Structures are given as C-alpha cells and as structure tokens.
C-alpha cells in the first residue's frame, strides 16, 4: 500500500531538514514501549528501565498509544522554520485549538484517520496523513467501543479525552516535560551531533538533487506524470507539497521505521532513521548465524516476502501458504528468535511484520563479526 507525496511545481523550495527534540523524545518513548523492535535503542532503554522512577514508567505506559505506530500528529513539528527547543515545541502543542488537538488525538488512538460512519474512505480522509471525515465527539459510543476492542490503554485515554480535552492536554504536556528532564536530556545531548551531521548531509543532497532527496529513503521511489514520491507503507495516504512544506527530521531512535505524517495547515513531516555507528552494540557471530539459519529455508523466504508487503497474523499466513496455524507458528518462531520479524497487537490479534533493518544489516553484521 502506498503513501504518496505529490511534488507539484518547484518542490525543492518546499523541502527543508531540521532537528526536533520532541520528535526524538517520542521516538524514544515508542522504543521504551516496545524495545525488542528497536535494537538501536537498547542501551538507552536498558538505562531507563534500571534508573527511572517506577511511577514515571507507569505513566509512560499509560500515554504510550499516542506515540505508537500511528503517532499523534502534534508530536512531530507543527510549523516550518528553524529548529525549536523542546519547550518551544511543547508550547506549539499547547497553542493548538481544542478541536484540532482532539481530532489528532483520536486519530492516534484509533490508529487511522477516521472513525465515524464511512470514515477512512470519504472526502477529506487520507488514511494516515490527514484528518478523518468525522470526529469521535459525534459518535462517542462507537469511538469508545472501537478503542476497547484495541486495548484497555487506548480505551482509558479515550475516556479521559472525551471527558476533559483541556485536562488531557495539560496532563500530557506535564508528563512530556517531566520525562524529558529525567531520562531524555542527556540522551539528546549525546546524539545531537550525530543528527546534526546527518542533517547537513541531507541538506547538501537536497541542494544537489532537489526533491529527489525524498526518493533516497527506505521503501521510497520516484514516479512521474505527475511527479511524486511513493513510499511502501501499511496504509494508503496522499499529501501534496503544493499545499504544505515538507520537513525532513533525522532520528536515531525511530530505527528501523520511517514515519510520514501530515495534517492540513501543517507541514508534511518525514522522520527518517539514522544509524548511530558509535552507539550501536556489535552483533555477536552466533546471533548472525541464527539469522542466516532462519533464512535457509525456501518457505521462510516466501514468508518474509509476504511480510515485507504487509503485516499478517498466523492464521492469515497459514491460509496463504496452505498450512495449519501450528505449523506456521513454528516457522514464525524461528524468524522471531532470529530477530527477522517483529509483532504488534490489534486487539486480540498478533500481527507479524518483516524487520527490514535486520534483514538489510545481516551482511554488514556478518562481516563485522568475522572481523572481530
């Protein structure tokens, strides 16, 4: 399924690169909620789990759906222009009108852009980049029923949002300020030079190649008639640089993902992964060999190909490959133990997705392990 950024005329003047401490903080919190999927964040996550206040960690778990796979749009830069400090970015969130803040929050909780009757398919809906065609406030029972199906955490946040949107926002901003002070400031100081260096490289590529710099990201490709960049993602979405500027935001802790978010009146944001060679832990040879053995099976290669294109449950995979669910579970366990796939829950169902970074780095990790 594609996410499409239409380039329009003179798109090179609509693209810029900048750091965002708020975006990186929320990428850290996302990794904290699912550390197995984020090997680049293991060092930071381990330190936080050992040293952070337990009450703060509990609060982080309660807010976590907001920085899940469909992150709330206000947790990425809301305005173009030069880099802001974290306090300035939080102040921009505080200045959002209540309806926009509530709609952005609803989208993150549901995991898509619309939740009313016919949402996600009508005018104004763009499946992941823009706002849905309806607000949950018009159908709160249906909204809350959907959240209860997804998880108790989402349901609890939905209740708080509908009861007191202003108090919800105040509580979120207070938590982000507190968690940044306790566990993020030192990490931001450590990784900022790496992100600044990558931003300079990306800006140079932009000045040289123009809008084609977008096609250099994972899963992206340039297409013509009309000019556009297409990203292979798990949802359909469309945005135009004729309507909005585009911000490229480097991130270490978003690895191995790439996030693309848009909301009318705000920039298109592409938060892309940066590899931190200095902070990465070397991969042991036995771990590399486990990955190679997991892929030394034609069926599992075919499974990887399927899971590269979309996330699937055990039952869906078993049906596609004409196997029983227990047989498929054994193959998935091999891939999971080798770190080749990661999982996420949608209600009671567990979905599997290929870990592209793990597969991509397998050869590099093997060579590195052989050198040691």
């Amino acid at each position: 399924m594609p996410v499409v950024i239409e380039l329009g005329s003179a798109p090179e003047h609509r693209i810029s690169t900048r750091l965002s401490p708020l975006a990186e903080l929320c990428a850290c919190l996302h990794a904290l909620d699912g550390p197995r999927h984020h090997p680049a964040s293991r060092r930071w996550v381990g330190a936080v789990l050992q040293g952070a206040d337990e009450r703060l960690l509990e609060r982080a778990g309660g807010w976590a759906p907001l920085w899940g796979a469909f992150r709330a749009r206000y947790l990425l830069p809301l305005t173009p222009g030069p880099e802001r400090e974290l306090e300035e970015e939080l102040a921009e969130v505080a200045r959002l009108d209540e309806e926009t803040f509530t709609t952005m929050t609803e989208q993150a909780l549901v995991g898509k852009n619309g939740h009313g009757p016919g949402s996600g398919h009508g005018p104004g809906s763009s499946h992941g980049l823009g706002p849905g065609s309806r607000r949950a406030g018009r159908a709160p029972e249906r909204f809350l029923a959907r959240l209860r199906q997804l998880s108790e955490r989402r349901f609890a946040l939905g209740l708080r949002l509908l009861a007191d949107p202003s108090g919800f926002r105040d509580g979120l901003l207070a938590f982000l300020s507190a968690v940044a002070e306790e566990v993020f400031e030192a990490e931001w100081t450590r990784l900022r030079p790496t992100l600044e260096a990558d931003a300079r490289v990306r800006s140079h590529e932009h000045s040289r190649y123009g809008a084609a710099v977008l096609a250099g990201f994972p899963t992206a490709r340039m297409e013509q008639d009309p000019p556009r960049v297409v990203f292979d993602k798990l949802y359909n979405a469309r945005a135009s640089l004729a309507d909005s500027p585009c911000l490229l935001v480097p991130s270490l802790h978003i690895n191995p993902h790439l996030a693309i978010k848009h909301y009318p009146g705000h920039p298109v944001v592409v938060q892309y992964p940066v590899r931190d060679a200095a902070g990465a832990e070397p991969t042991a040879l036995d771990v590399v060999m486990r990955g190679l053995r997991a892929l030394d099976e034609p069926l599992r290669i075919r499974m990887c190909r399927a899971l590269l294109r979309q996330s699937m449950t055990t039952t869906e995979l078993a049906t596609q490959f004409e196997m029983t669910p227990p047989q498929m579970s054994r193959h998935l366990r091999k891939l999971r133990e080798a770190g080749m796939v990661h999982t996420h829950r949608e209600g009671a169902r567990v979905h599997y997705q290929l870990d592209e970074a793990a597969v991509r780095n397998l050869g590099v990790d093997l060579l590195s392990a052989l050198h040691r």
Side-chain angles (χ1 to χ4, degrees), residues 82-118:
E83 179 187 344
R84 276 76 159 160
E85 297 295 330
L86 177 62
E87 293 78 8
E88 295 174 298
E89 292 190 302
L90 293 177
E92 289 187 338
V93 179
R95 288 193 295 269
L96 280 175
D97 65 85
E98 186 171 291
E99 182 174 2
T100 299
F101 175 84
T102 302
T103 302
M104 289 179 174
T105 305
E106 292 167 0
Q107 293 174 3
L109 293 179
V110 173
K112 61 180 181 180
N113 286 339
H115 3 286

Side-chain angles (χ1 to χ4, degrees), residues 179-198:
V179 76
E181 181 177 357
E182 180 161 341
V183 302
F184 178 68
E185 288 181 354
E187 178 68 357
W188 179 245
T189 299
R190 183 191 74 82
L191 59 86
R192 181 169 183 156
T194 299
L195 300 181
E196 288 177 334
D198 190 89

Side-chain angles (χ1 to χ4, degrees), residues 5-328:
I5 297 180
E6 297 173 347
L7 300 180
S9 59
E12 59 275 6
H13 302 300
R14 307 282 284 169
I15 300 172
S16 59
T17 304
R18 103 173 194 213
L19 274 59
S20 169
L22 177 58
E24 191 66 12
L25 169 61
C26 292
C28 284
L29 292 171
H30 175 74
L32 181 65
D33 194 54
R36 291 184 61 188
H37 308 161
H38 297 271
S41 303
R42 285 174 184 159
R43 181 197 57 80
W44 179 83
V45 168
V48 170
L49 292 177
Q50 288 183 358
D53 182 88
E54 290 187 6
R55 291 170 296 181
L56 190 69
L57 294 176
E58 184 177 349
R59 291 168 64 195
W63 291 109
L66 296 181
W67 39 80
F70 286 83
R71 192 187 309 181
R73 173 61 189 85
Y74 49 71
L75 298 177
L76 292 158
L78 286 168
T79 55
E83 179 187 344
R84 276 76 159 160
E85 297 295 330
L86 177 62
E87 293 78 8
E88 295 174 298
E89 292 190 302
L90 293 177
E92 289 187 338
V93 179
R95 288 193 295 269
L96 280 175
D97 65 85
E98 186 171 291
E99 182 174 2
T100 299
F101 175 84
T102 302
T103 302
M104 289 179 174
T105 305
E106 292 167 0
Q107 293 174 3
L109 293 179
V110 173
K112 61 180 181 180
N113 286 339
H115 3 286
S119 65
H121 301 283
S125 172
S126 58
H127 296 268
L129 273 74
S133 56
R134 297 180 185 262
R135 286 239 358 254
R138 302 179 188 176
E141 297 84 4
R142 182 173 178 178
F143 171 63
L144 292 174
R146 175 59 177 151
L147 295 185
R148 189 185 285 277
Q149 287 180 328
L150 292 172
S151 74
E152 286 300 318
R153 290 194 303 183
R154 292 174 186 270
F155 178 68
L157 287 176
L159 286 174
R160 290 179 61 183
L161 177 68
L162 295 183
D164 182 9
S166 179
F168 182 101
R169 172 164 33 187
D170 290 345
L172 173 62
L173 295 178
F175 165 75
L176 291 173
S177 295
V179 76
E181 181 177 357
E182 180 161 341
V183 302
F184 178 68
E185 288 181 354
E187 178 68 357
W188 179 245
T189 299
R190 183 191 74 82
L191 59 86
R192 181 169 183 156
T194 299
L195 300 181
E196 288 177 334
D198 190 89
R200 287 193 294 269
V201 171
R202 198 70 55 173
S203 296
H204 174 73
E205 292 177 348
H206 173 222
S207 65
R208 185 174 182 181
Y209 302 112
V213 67
L214 292 170
F217 293 122
T219 77
R221 64 184 184 276
M222 183 76 79
E223 295 185 356
Q224 300 297 328
D225 298 323
R228 60 197 183 276
V229 177
V230 180
F231 297 82
D232 291 328
K233 300 291 284 183
L234 296 179
Y235 52 88
N236 294 317
R238 186 173 293 269
S240 173
L241 298 193
D243 304 321
S244 305
C246 180
L247 291 178
L248 310 182
V249 178
S251 170
L252 177 122
H253 289 282
I254 200 174
N255 268 296
H257 308 303
L258 179 140
I260 309 170
K261 296 292 289 185
H262 173 52
Y263 193 99
H266 301 278
V268 178
V269 177
V270 179
Q271 188 181 22
Y272 63 90
V274 174
R275 188 159 186 177
D276 180 17
E281 298 179 3
T283 304
L285 181 58
D286 62 331
V287 175
V288 178
M289 293 305 298
R290 193 182 310 142
L292 294 174
R293 284 193 293 269
L295 297 176
D296 187 24
E297 162 61 56
L299 172 63
R300 290 198 281 269
I301 291 292
R302 292 163 57 207
M303 290 166 56
C304 287
R305 182 173 295 161
L307 293 174
L308 175 63
R309 286 156 176 78
Q310 61 179 330
S311 65
M312 301 177 72
T313 65
T314 302
T315 302
E316 290 169 340
L317 283 164
T319 300
Q320 177 169 329
F321 291 100
E322 299 180 343
M323 303 175 68
T324 66
Q327 290 173 323
M328 180 55 64

